[in-house]
């Protein structure tokens, strides 16, 4: 349980063990092996009993993949989404006109299978860029989807959306909102090509909150910059990055408006869920052996703190030093130094875990043994204080190992 | 020999086999093992017979190392430099007031050894950040420097400035300028922490051209954006990056002004030398097995073409695909997509070597066998046409291998 204080408001956010995207009332999921890959599940969907309010953010890449265009067209129609269908193995990106037709066909197939409107269906794909979807397998797979709200159903969906991921990413939290218990569940995938400029690879959140699409979009846009946009695995932004939130109102709370006294509670609930998924993605980065968290404080603006923390956690040299448990704080200062931010080079503190290595920009004596012992853990925190203001920011990433190279030297083949 | 045409002017630039920084008249060099490292040479210097015109560019990092401050102070005094002393093993960066005093002391020691003014001496260091120079060894080493103008003397200097580099980087070219043969020689180091925002790790160029410091600085600033600033090994900009050019006038050409008809010849000569050193650095990137060259054309501005080419060659995913000889052009499109540039997503061509993989943003069929055969070479060219303008740009980098991780997971220890 987390107790959160915002101004005069204090509220609780509870984690639901084993919770998932099917924990909020009125949501079901499914996933199966459609044959896009050799043997793992590769096609899944989430469905709400009724068309739900929705909010989404997409990649900032110039090359948005076809499914993103279809999802945007669906949302534009009535601002309601009832279901999302996702495949792995093929990103359906850079596939021209045929790829767009395939994505529309995928939408149509799930709409017919669920007997709902095409415009209520969102579409998502992840995998290799520049190849076409095997539409015969997609069609057969969609027609076999059987939805349920058991843990196994959520697991099937979570597994179906993975690519080089080693573990499923999921979360579930609740909060009291307007006297009702509101639940939010999430599922995500992504372990390479992760350096979101706006969203991560794929993140899906379901909630039974009663909230309009417009207000939900505001809430999502508030939490994205400090959650999904603050993780990096390899500095590359995918063509398919999407985060989609569905809210079906089944919690029967009084409708959340921007002025509602419990709106901040919902934003915090959404934030906790997004941050949880983001950290799970960073921890499962391709070849990762450690989750790295970088906290930067003492900045003039929050944005600068976020830029600097992300620059540090994204540096190949920092990442390889972390892999080798080498307390090479010079690489941290190098990463800070190259950001286009307001930094006073004479007043920087750096600590790795509890060990201060630089104080007021002067090197400090420290025990190498203590440093190695700390760096051998699988969750490393780096603390930077720039003594230049009152704002702070955090970013998450992972180390860079032999396995990262191995995975990516032969991903396509 | 290269024949260069600029407007109505046509001129020749000749490479001097086995040429180096001591090839231009009036320059000598030295290098030796001062004991900063276990057994390789680690201290060197270049000296001109007379104080020379000079030009320099430095890292854009917030944390400029102490020697850079001392070099800038020297240049500011009379705008003349006669000698530069360089050590490897220790960067003398982030070393506070003591580090600055050490760099000034290093300057003083070489000035005394050469019996010249302190303000005629530039200082440069490369190696680990945050450690202090071993001044007793620096002093003993400087006092033992014996200068010469043989190939062996240049080699000693070139070896002394290396860190994780595997090979020495050097070049020598000549051109006819005002009826005289002007020679330019260069030496460089750098194989990690290379993503210069203004200069590379360390580059030293000597020339016997007769040119003032002001005009030399203009010429250097003209060629840096298309040479040293267009290479990347790992996306990190060092605290110590410096490129320094010395021109002692011994070629006795009519003084080069901005209006001199042969000024463009000198700029091209400098450009060819800088590009040669830059490519040698990229090819010897930490763990590199291949030199990657990315040519981008069809852009609205040269700057956009340079940004896009550098983004592609800097992408970990592109670099690992190149290492694995995997023709994964989707990663190239991903890198283009995330740049903040004017790109028309519907009109992109991509070729790897002679093999076109994307035409007008539509995937093309190609032979995987041909692609692998090409990618197994050690010099890979990627060609991108954005069909969006008439400007072009090139960047150089290397692949990302297991050895990059190995080298950087344990550099400090």
């Amino acid at each position: 349980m987390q107790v959160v204080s915002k101004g005069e408001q204090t509220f609780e956010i509870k984690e639901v063990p084993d919770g998932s995207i099917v924990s909020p009332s009125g949501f079901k999921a499914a996933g199966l092996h459609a044959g896009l890959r050799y043997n793992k599940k590769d096609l899944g969907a989430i469905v709400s009993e009724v068309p739900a309010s929705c909010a989404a953010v997409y990649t900032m890449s110039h090359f948005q993949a076809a499914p993103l265009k279809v999802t945007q067209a669906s949302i534009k129609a009535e601002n309601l989404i009832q279901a999302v269908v996702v495949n792995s193995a093929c990103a359906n990106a850079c596939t021209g006109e045929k790829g767009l037709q395939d994505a529309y066909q995928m939408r149509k197939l799930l709409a017919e299978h669920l007997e709902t409107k095409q415009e209520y269906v969102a579409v998502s794909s992840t995998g290799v860029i520049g190849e076409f979807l095997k539409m015969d397998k997609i069609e057969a797979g969609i027609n076999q989807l059987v939805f349920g709200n058991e843990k196994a159903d959520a697991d099937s969906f979570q597994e179906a959306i993975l690519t080089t991921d080693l573990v499923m990413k999921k979360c579930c939290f609740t909060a009291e909102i307007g006297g009702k218990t509101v639940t939010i569940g999430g599922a995500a995938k992504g372990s390479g090509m992760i350096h979101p400029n706006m969203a991560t690879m794929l993140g899906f959140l379901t909630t039974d909150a009663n909230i309009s699409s417009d207000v939900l979009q505001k809430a999502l846009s508030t939490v994205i910059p400090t959650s999904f946009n603050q993780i990096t695995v390899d500095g590359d932004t995918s063509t398919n990055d999407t985060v989609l939130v569905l809210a079906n109102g089944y919690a029967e709370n009084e409708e959340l408006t921007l002025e509602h006294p419990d709106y901040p509670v919902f934003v915090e609930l959404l934030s906790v869920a997004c941050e949880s998924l983001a950290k799970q993605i960073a921890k499962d980065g391709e070849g990762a052996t450690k989750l790295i968290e970088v906290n930067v404080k003492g900045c003039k603006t929050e944005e600068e703190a976020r830029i600097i923390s992300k620059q540090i956690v994204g540096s190949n040299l920092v990442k390889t030093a972390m892999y080798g448990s080498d307390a090479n704080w010079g690489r941290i200062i190098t990463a800070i130094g190259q950001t286009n931010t307001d930094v006073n080079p004479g007043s920087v503190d750096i600590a790795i875990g509890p060990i201060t290595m630089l104080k007021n920009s002067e090197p400090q004596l420290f025990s190498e043994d203590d440093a190695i012992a700390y760096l051998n853990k699988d969750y490393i925190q780096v603390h930077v204080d720039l003594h230049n203001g009152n704002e702070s920011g955090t970013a998450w990433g992972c180390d860079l190992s032999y396995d990262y190279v191995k995975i990516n030297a032969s991903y396509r083949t």
Side-chain angles (χ1 to χ4, degrees), chain A:
Chain A
M1 192 183 75
Q2 287 179 252
V3 178
V4 181
S5 292
K6 293 265 173 189
E8 295 186 358
Q9 230 177 348
T10 298
F11 49 88
E12 292 173 2
I13 291 180
K14 290 182 190 163
E15 186 160 11
V16 180
D18 280 331
S20 72
I21 41 165
V22 298
S23 300
S25 306
F27 285 97
K28 293 179 177 174
L32 51 70
H33 172 61
L36 306 173
R37 285 189 185 282
Y38 182 59
N39 61 6
K40 79 172 265 300
K41 292 194 174 80
D42 48 24
L43 182 80
I46 305 171
V47 59
S48 165
E49 285 183 14
V50 292
S53 296
C54 59
V57 288
Y58 310 95
T59 181
M60 294 287 280
S61 171
H62 293 295
F63 303 97
Q64 283 199 349
L68 280 70
K69 293 174 187 163
V70 172
T71 295
Q72 287 168 70
S74 286
I75 291 177
K76 199 175 173 189
E78 294 188 33
N79 230 351
L80 293 172
I81 292 291
Q82 189 171 3
V84 53
V85 57
V86 192
N87 72 278
S88 53
C90 170
N92 194 11
C94 302
T95 44
E97 189 55 38
K98 172 163 163 48
L100 193 61
Q101 285 169 12
D102 288 347
Y104 273 112
Q105 179 64 14
M106 207 168 146
R107 178 175 90 157
K108 185 171 176 229
L109 289 166
L110 187 73
E112 287 173 357
H113 184 60
L114 294 172
E115 297 180 346
T116 189
K117 288 191 205 178
Q118 293 185 37
E119 291 77 9
Y120 288 165
V121 175
V123 180
S124 205
S125 297
T126 175
V128 178
I129 293 172
E131 294 185 358
F132 294 114
L133 286 171
K134 295 172 182 161
M135 288 306 294
D136 53 339
K137 296 192 168 169
I138 295 277
E139 178 167 3
I142 287 176
N143 287 330
Q144 286 167 41
L145 286 171
V146 178
F147 293 87
N149 61 4
E150 299 296 319
K151 180 176 178 300
D153 302 305
D155 283 351
S156 291
F157 174 81
Q158 287 156 198
E159 186 191 325
I161 66 176
L162 303 183
T163 54
T164 52
D165 307 57
L166 297 178
V167 300
M168 296 188 286
K169 288 92 182 170
K170 63 183 183 120
C171 70
C172 187
F173 298 92
T174 63
E176 296 298 307
I177 292 180
K180 304 285 183 178
T181 297
V182 168
T183 304
I184 188 164
K189 69 82 48 183
S191 68
M193 212 177 273
I194 292 180
H195 186 84
N197 202 6
M198 178 152 163
T200 185
M201 297 261 16
L202 299 179
F204 303 102
L205 295 118
T206 57
T207 176
D208 46 19
N210 180 18
I211 185 169
S212 73
S213 293
D214 288 347
V215 178
L216 187 60
Q217 184 70 45
K218 277 256 170 40
L220 182 62
S221 299
T222 302
V223 307
I224 285 288
T226 56
S227 58
F228 285 107
N229 277 5
Q230 281 301 97
I231 59 169
T232 180
V233 169
D234 52 20
D236 282 287
T237 306
S238 154
T239 50
N240 290 50
D241 295 347
T242 302
V243 174
L244 178 68
V245 190
L246 305 184
N248 66 7
Y250 273 39
E252 296 185 338
N253 57 295
E254 192 180 45
E255 185 179 333
L256 283 165
T257 59
L258 295 175
E259 297 74 30
H260 194 286
D262 280 352
Y263 174 72
V265 183
F266 179 75
V267 171
E268 189 64 24
L269 182 65
L270 184 62
S271 175
V272 166
C274 286
E275 187 178 310
S276 169
L277 293 177
K279 287 170 73 169
Q280 290 177 62
I281 289 172
K283 187 174 182 179
D284 191 31
E286 286 173 347
T289 71
K290 300 170 189 183
L291 173 65
I292 319 288
E293 178 178 301
V294 177
N295 301 296
V296 174
K297 67 179 181 177
C299 289
K300 288 236 168 84
T301 67
E302 276 187 35
E303 193 193 359
E304 286 197 341
R306 287 200 298 265
I307 288 169
I308 293 167
S309 58
K310 197 167 173 182
Q311 183 81 32
I312 295 168
V313 88
S315 156
N316 276 359
L317 289 168
V318 171
K319 289 154 65 78
T320 45
M322 292 293 170
Y323 174 61
S325 293
D326 180 8
N328 197 332
W329 58 264
R331 297 179 178 177
I332 296 171
I333 205 98
T334 295
I336 301 169
Q338 70 196 50
T339 57
N340 183 17
T341 55
D342 186 356
V343 170
N344 175 359
S347 66
V348 180
D349 298 351
I350 295 177
I352 297 181
I355 306 164
T356 297
M357 303 191 176
L358 193 72
K359 184 89 187 165
N360 262 322
S361 297
E362 297 276 349
Q364 305 294 300
L365 287 177
F366 61 89
S367 154
E368 287 281 349
D369 288 347
D370 289 354
I372 290 168
Y374 179 77
L375 286 165
N376 279 334
K377 297 179 194 286
D378 64 1
Y379 177 35
I380 308 295
Q381 288 181 302
V382 173
H383 306 282
V384 173
D385 192 341
L386 295 172
H387 296 291
N388 203 28
N390 295 313
E391 302 301 333
S392 58
T394 300
W396 299 273
C398 58
D399 55 341
L400 174 57
S401 70
Y402 296 111
D403 279 353
Y404 176 83
V405 178
K406 185 174 177 182
I407 291 162
N408 283 299
S410 60
Y411 172 53
R412 206 178 47 112
T413 47

